[in-house]
Amino acid sequence: MAAPKRGRSASAPSKPGRSLALILIAIVALTGGMFASGHTTPRLGIDLAGGTSITLKAKADQGSAINKANMDTAVDIMNRRVNGLGVSEAEVQTQGTDNIIVNIPKGTNSKEAQEQVGTTAKLYFRPVLASEPSGAAAKSPSPSASTGGSSSPKPGASPSASASSKQKASSSGSGSPTATATSQGRAVTDGLKADATPSPSGSASGSGKPSATPSASAGSGSGADAKLQARYAALDCTKPTDRAEAGKNAKPGETTVACGEIDGAWYKYLLGPAAVDGTEVKKAQAVFDTQGASGWQVQMTFTGKGAKKFADITGTLAKNQPPQNEFGIVLDGEVVSSPYVQTAITGGQAEISGSFKQDEAQSLANMLSYGALPLSFREESVTTVTAALGGEQLHAGLLAGAIGLALVVLYLVIYYRGLSLVAMASLVVSAVLTYVIMSLLGPAIGFALNLPAVCGAIVAIGITADSFIVYFERIRDEIREGRTLRPAVERAWPRARRTILVSDFVSFLAAAVLFIVTVGKVQGFAFTLGLTTLLDVVVVFLFTKPLMTLLARRAFFADGHKWSGLDPKSLGAKPPLRRTRRPAGPLAGPADPKEA
């Protein structure tokens, strides 16, 4: 039997320098990214940093009963709305039978979340019966070149600021006609292109749209009664009280009045019954128009039923004269746009655009995507939550973690002696990676560190230390069998690796299941536990094992110094020790027959 090659162990030689260099580069890159992003500390949850607590009280809406099913649906929608804004670790939960508590951590876009959580997000497409400037704009002179009147040009007009686009092809593959529209506000509806700048007004025969009066439009063709006409005439949309009352409690099947703000100017509208309901919008998303000059816009896709209704209303409106060839896009009682049409739009696609900022487009798409709440809510209270109590709990938790860590280090020093340096260095690397990644995840995915998450990180200390112990004990078992350190390190690794991977897989699986089936703060615990478990695998493979390989070449560990933790006599090694080297010479055999 051929003797083994001199200086080689039974397993393949490792290259520890590469692994250590790789993890060092990763740490430097992540740390640099943390400082470059300006987020050098993890985001804190509401229990640690404070925040806003909102109490919402439910009220029945159009026959919807206040029951557990509707309350649970409302909680789910509010959760998705707040998370859609990037507000992580927000808590949305019921209290009693008709209250919902929303806790939003400090340092997030809590103001926007506060505005959205209780809104019904009811969207209707209503035909415009009359519209005109309101308040001071209505009293100002209206020469032909002024902008005091309504902004939509007459059908067939081509104002310089308007644009057009083709509809999407129909299911039969035929091309769709081109529909051009301008708007007083934000709107693009499939082929309806918006113009955020009001067009010059003029006479009925000119290129501008005349300001229709209720008597001329609503009174003759809309069936609106005298009371509604009087309400429209008296409406002053520059007054907050009038705006709040304008679209309040408006039923979809009734004619109503509403207000809309266009480029800082208020307009009032008389609107017919809703032709399309917002629930028939299948999908809404905010996108940036890279092909044209529309900027940010909200794209909507209608359901099959909604697409048919939308085609019907646009076909009907196209036959009317201004302003009755327009439809108002009404969101929560406020007109956000009122484009006009020239032909029926049958593509089932729609867009809302015009002077949108990114956050405005995303906010609108977020509300529309997540649907209307089954109940109406009113704010009972909005309070600021201080972090005093959470700070005390955090201090106590960190103190407990420090005591636990000190006990672990003390145990490692007493039992493993020199090997404890490897364990402590690995714990430091794991702590650095955990801290840096948590800091980066705050702005990246909205991760916020709360008390349960801190507990998850403390529990991870035991998981990480357990991996080191498994490897160290495998090495010591090999030494007890009579092997020297260098082959012991390599032979112990395959068996230790399998045990570590199985153990970490079980921990990660538990964390994943806990994250999926729970909500709120418990998810923070599960997320942190899963993250630190993955980092344990990275640290053991790329740091602990390569470092042990390098230290095995040092005389202090290789010769089994009594303070190294690898002293063969202390471990009860079986003599004689097995060696990997043999005397030189062609007739010399291995130092230990078992090595052959």
Side-chain angles (χ1 to χ4, degrees), residues 4 49 65 77 101 138 158 180 194 243 308 327 338 348 374 404 422 432 442 458 508:
I77 292 173
I101 308 297
S158 298
T180 305
R243 294 199 300 270
K308 183 179 184 303
F327 62 85
S338 57
V422 179
V432 170
I458 294 174
F508 183 81

Side-chain angles (χ1 to χ4, degrees), residues 69-82:
N70 284 338
M71 291 292 286
D72 290 343
T73 300
V75 167
D76 181 61
I77 292 173
M78 289 181 188
N79 249 322
R80 287 182 289 160
R81 283 185 183 177
V82 175

Side-chain angles (χ1 to χ4, degrees), residues 54-59 61 73-79 81-82 85 100 102 111-123 331-334 363-379:
I54 307 169
T55 302
L56 301 172
K57 189 174 184 65
K59 54 182 180 179
D61 182 35
T73 300
V75 167
D76 181 61
I77 292 173
M78 289 181 188
N79 249 322
R81 283 185 183 177
V82 175
L85 295 169
I100 290 180
V102 183
K111 183 178 179 181
E112 185 178 358
Q114 180 182 343
E115 294 173 353
Q116 285 200 16
V117 288
T119 58
T120 56
K122 291 181 178 177
L123 181 75
L331 178 66
D332 284 341
E334 181 179 328
S363 175
L364 176 57
N366 186 30
M367 286 193 295
L368 296 176
S369 294
Y370 298 140
L373 295 171
L375 301 167
S376 295
F377 291 86
R378 68 172 183 269
E379 285 186 358

Side-chain angles (χ1 to χ4, degrees), residues 1-6 8-10 483 491 577-582 588-596:
M1 181 181 295
K5 293 182 179 180
R6 183 167 56 180
R8 298 296 181 96
S9 62
R483 293 184 177 85
R491 291 175 65 92
L577 294 180
R578 300 176 186 179
R579 301 289 181 181
T580 59
R581 295 182 180 273
R582 58 185 175 83
D592 184 351
K594 295 182 181 179
E595 288 291 314

Side-chain angles (χ1 to χ4, degrees), residues 285-289 295-299 361:
Q285 59 181 349
V287 298
F288 188 79
D289 182 14
W296 282 97
Q297 55 188 224
V298 177
Q299 293 183 347

